Amino acid sequence: MKQLSVITISYNSQETIRDTMLSVLKQNYRPLQYVLIDGASQDHTNDIIRELLPEFTAAGIETVHISEPDKGISDAFNKGISRSTGEVIGIINAGDGYADNALREVMAQNWESIDFFCGDILWKDPANRIEYIRKSSLNWSRLRLEMTVMHPSCFVKKALYDECGVFDVSFRYTMDYDLICRFHRMNKRMAYFPLTVAYVAAGGVSDDSINRIRSEIFRVNRENGVGALSSHLHWEVVKLRRFLASLLKKCKLFFKS
């Protein structure tokens, strides 16, 4: 069986790191390596990690734990990739988690004929009592305009990183979008399967962050051959679509209550 490496990056994640680690610990796929890259947290994140590491050893899961300053999310991802020994690599961030048996089902895919796999995620928004499945799509007509792949559901052969490169550290927010589009443009063997791989908790984004995200999305759009006007128009359509979808879900909850 192919060895799988899972990477978790964290920074001051004492409220969420335990649940994420336990979601990996209960997976029943072996051989499994778990790589934890912490950005020199100032809270109890690393205490919790060290507390749980013996349970991974007892469960036959190889672990790597590093805590040191980094240059951002992309740099932390790349540190994890460089320390991964598995033929296939997945990334699950602190605060998110894997569904039961997800890793076994992912590794049951035909990895002889694919380099990249993606599935679906369960999106949880407890504050608004919203929970739904977000599906990935590898349709290039959409992907070249917006991120349509749920990154926590993605698994990549390490050889693909070696050939195509890792995360671009000049991106602060959309490094995953940039990388997946790069794989697509290089005609790599990418596959989608309607499997709910992970769950993700909703988080707030400031107006300043939204503006920076938009700027980075436009940059990826340009690299995919999308003109500036098309990028701006699509951004407005996406915002409206997401607002209406959120409003519809809230209305459904209101009438159910």
Side-chain angles (χ1 to χ4, degrees):
M1 298 178 76
K2 295 183 183 297
Q3 184 184 27
L4 170 64
S5 293
V6 168
I7 299 166
T8 291
I9 68 169
S10 61
Y11 180 70
N12 289 344
S13 305
Q14 65 180 19
E15 302 300 326
T16 59
I17 190 65
R18 184 182 299 275
D19 287 344
T20 300
M21 291 182 69
L22 291 177
S23 82
V24 177
L25 181 62
K26 68 182 179 183
Q27 297 297 313
N28 56 8
Y29 182 83
R30 303 290 185 276
L32 177 62
Q33 179 197 37
Y34 192 29
V35 181
L36 295 124
I37 305 296
D38 180 75
S41 291
Q42 302 301 306
D43 62 1
H44 293 292
T45 299
N46 286 294
D47 296 330
I48 295 169
I49 291 173
R50 285 188 286 267
E51 173 194 334
L52 290 175
L53 286 182
E55 295 189 37
F56 284 83
T57 302
I61 301 173
E62 176 191 346
T63 59
V64 175
H65 174 213
I66 295 169
S67 182
E68 62 185 20
D70 56 50
K71 299 175 183 177
I73 295 172
S74 294
D75 185 39
F77 283 158
N78 293 341
K79 286 182 181 183
I81 292 168
S82 69
R83 289 163 175 80
S84 295
T85 57
E87 295 175 70
V88 178
I89 299 174
I91 298 176
I92 192 78
N93 294 337
D96 304 333
Y98 286 125
D100 292 348
N101 304 317
L103 300 186
R104 178 172 290 277
E105 295 190 58
V106 167
M107 296 307 291
Q109 305 301 312
N110 183 11
W111 282 97
E112 300 307 318
S113 63
I114 62 174
D115 301 308
F116 171 97
F117 168 90
C118 65
D120 302 328
I121 64 168
L122 175 64
W123 184 266
K124 297 183 176 184
D125 184 354
N128 294 303
R129 297 186 298 163
I130 296 173
E131 192 172 289
Y132 62 98
I133 300 297
R134 293 183 68 170
K135 293 183 173 296
S136 291
S137 170
L138 291 171
N139 184 307
W140 182 239
S141 63
R142 286 188 59 203
L143 182 59
R144 68 195 292 264
L145 285 164
E146 63 175 304
M147 179 59 154
T148 58
V149 176
M150 302 301 106
H151 187 246
S153 77
C154 295
F155 294 79
V156 181
K157 279 185 175 176
K158 187 168 187 181
L160 192 58
Y161 285 120
D162 295 337
E163 179 183 352
C164 301
V166 291
F167 292 91
D168 186 336
V169 296
S170 68
F171 286 96
R172 291 187 58 190
Y173 301 98
T174 64
M175 66 291 293
D176 49 352
Y177 181 34
D178 168 69
L179 183 69
I180 291 166
C181 285
R182 193 190 317 157
F183 291 159
H184 204 296
R185 292 196 305 269
M186 297 178 75
N187 297 313
K188 297 308 170 185
R189 301 176 300 174
M190 305 173 73
Y192 162 77
F193 188 76
L195 169 70
T196 302
V197 176
Y199 55 86
V200 174
V205 179
S206 67
D207 290 340
D208 180 58
S209 294
I210 288 173
N211 289 332
R212 294 186 181 190
I213 290 169
R214 178 175 60 184
S215 175
E216 290 190 2
I217 288 174
F218 290 169
R219 176 180 160 193
V220 178
N221 289 164
R222 288 195 301 273
E223 292 173 357
N224 294 333
V226 179
L229 180 59
S230 295
S231 292
H232 283 273
L233 288 175
H234 187 75
W235 173 265
E236 296 303 321
V237 169
V238 168
K239 286 199 301 181
L240 178 61
R241 191 172 67 213
R242 290 178 178 172
F243 170 76
L244 292 175
S246 176
L247 184 62
L248 178 61
K249 289 181 176 68
K250 290 179 180 179
C251 288
K252 288 180 177 178
L253 287 170
F254 175 78
F255 287 111
K256 284 182 180 178
S257 61

